[in-house]
Amino acid sequence: MRGAVYVDGRISSADEAVVPVYDHGFLYGEGVYETLRTYNRVPFLYDRHIRRLRSSARHLHLDVPFDDATLLKWIDQTVRAAGDLNEAYIRVLLTRGVGELTYDIKATPKPSLVIIVKPLDEPSKRLEEDGVQISLVPILRNHPGSVNPLIKSNNLLNNALAMQEAYRRGGEEGLMLNYRSEISECSQANFFMVRGGVALTPRSAAGLLEGVTRAFLFEVGQDVGVQVREETLHPADLDSAEEMFITSTTRELTPVVRIDDRVVGTGKPGPVTKTLLDGYRRRAMELTRKAATVDR
């Protein structure tokens, strides 16, 4: 196990890190998290990720007992403890905390904080050059009236079941519908398709986690001259896609060249996807280079 882990003020190697079994994050999945990565050894879009962490916590009535600057200091300490990393994968988890076996939040007055840092596994050239196959799975995305997908929750059973079904079908990602049979999102990523040169992504109202990378791509699209917009999408729309791609913090933009037994477009990563990916990486490097210079 690689890297270092911060658990409530103590930093240790990954294989020595422990959390109490009575932590309600372990017992009930009560908690929220964010995944970040670095460019130029700077956590990318940190402010946006932590803003979403706080939003997720509010949905759970979960206290966030630290400010953004303090959390960043703890992240930096954990990154340094992880050793000589080129770039870092960072996962911040905030749980309800340790308490008796009850759903009463008064039993857990102190939240628990875990920060995991390990070397970032950069997306392989194969993904960028050849693309991936995804699968339209029968597992529906959580209904917003049950566990709202806007909450980036530690309870990932819905996502795990979808991803496992995709693996069984030969996919590297699972595309999920909502209860209205609209396309929502993938199990670990947001979904985009290109039609008429426009990059389309399901509306937030489709019941999805509003990805930080997804939102940033609207800005990138303006920079590179590609229109990016939300639209209500259904499975039948997949047949008209010229290109597809998925987005996430660690995978950036990954081209999709096949969905189940259907070839997407030419079967190769398309020009719109490549333009957006190049623009995304350029903006990421520019923003973090400026931050790294200020820090020094």
Side-chain angles (χ1 to χ4, degrees):
M1 305 211 27
R2 301 174 297 167
V5 180
Y6 172 109
V7 180
D8 287 336
R10 181 178 184 270
I11 299 176
S12 64
S13 62
D15 56 358
E16 295 176 336
V18 295
V19 295
V21 295
Y22 272 61
D23 191 296
H24 283 212
F26 171 75
L27 291 170
Y28 304 129
E30 284 194 271
V32 296
Y33 78 100
E34 283 292 325
T35 299
L36 301 88
R37 63 152 293 172
T38 63
Y39 293 89
N40 294 311
R41 296 183 61 83
V42 174
F44 184 48
L45 300 178
Y46 173 78
D47 292 348
R48 304 188 193 195
H49 278 285
I50 303 311
R51 190 182 310 128
R52 188 173 62 178
L53 180 79
R54 293 183 180 279
S55 175
S56 295
R58 282 195 297 272
H59 280 87
L60 271 60
H61 304 287
L62 174 59
D63 184 36
V64 182
F66 45 77
D67 60 33
D68 293 2
T70 299
L71 176 60
L72 183 58
K73 180 184 71 175
W74 294 335
I75 289 173
D76 288 342
Q77 290 170 349
T78 311
V79 169
R80 288 196 296 272
D84 186 18
L85 307 181
N86 181 25
E87 299 291 359
Y89 166 102
I90 303 164
R91 191 178 182 110
V92 178
L93 305 99
L94 184 69
T95 79
R96 187 75 75 191
V98 178
E100 290 298 327
L101 301 180
T102 173
Y103 291 130
D104 188 347
I105 63 175
K106 292 194 293 292
T108 50
K110 183 182 178 184
S112 297
L113 176 67
V114 176
I115 303 168
I116 300 171
V117 174
K118 67 184 186 69
L120 177 74
D121 296 322
E122 295 277 7
S124 72
K125 280 293 183 182
R126 175 189 69 82
L127 301 181
E128 181 180 342
E129 295 172 358
D130 299 334
V132 298
Q133 175 179 334
I134 66 174
S135 179
L136 181 61
V137 298
I139 308 297
L140 297 182
R141 195 65 177 102
N142 284 334
H143 191 294
S146 56
V147 179
N148 195 327
L150 283 174
I151 305 169
K152 195 167 177 68
S153 163
N154 292 346
N155 190 325
L156 292 169
L157 185 58
N158 184 230
N159 310 69
L161 292 175
M163 192 68 227
Q164 290 157 11
E165 181 63 27
Y167 285 144
R168 284 190 286 270
R169 294 166 178 246
E172 295 184 60
E173 187 45 286
L175 180 59
M176 306 171 75
L177 305 181
N178 64 17
Y179 68 99
R180 295 189 296 261
S181 297
E182 300 165 346
I183 294 172
S184 179
E185 62 180 330
C186 293
S187 64
Q188 302 175 88
N190 287 117
F191 173 79
F192 287 78
M193 58 173 273
V194 177
R195 186 168 61 199
V198 178
L200 306 173
T201 190
R203 298 182 188 277
S204 299
L208 52 84
L209 178 69
E210 295 176 343
V212 171
T213 302
R214 171 185 179 273
F216 188 64
L217 207 61
F218 285 81
E219 301 171 29
V220 173
Q222 289 184 325
D223 289 345
V224 300
V226 173
Q227 185 180 356
V228 181
R229 72 167 188 253
E230 291 187 336
E231 188 158 311
T232 300
L233 299 172
H234 297 87
D237 291 309
L238 300 174
D239 294 330
S240 63
E242 299 154 5
E243 304 174 37
M244 293 181 192
F245 59 90
I246 55 178
T247 62
S248 72
T249 293
T250 55
R251 291 186 288 186
E252 303 174 319
L253 281 72
T254 301
V256 174
V257 297
R258 180 181 288 271
I259 179 164
D260 293 316
D261 59 352
R262 289 174 287 180
V263 175
V264 178
T266 64
K268 296 290 184 181
V272 173
T273 303
K274 291 179 180 178
T275 297
L276 287 169
L277 177 57
D278 289 345
Y280 178 89
R281 287 176 172 166
R282 185 167 56 251
R283 281 288 304 278
M285 295 302 290
E286 288 171 355
L287 290 173
T288 52
R289 193 176 295 119
K290 291 177 182 176
T293 301
V294 170
D295 288 344
R296 283 196 290 270

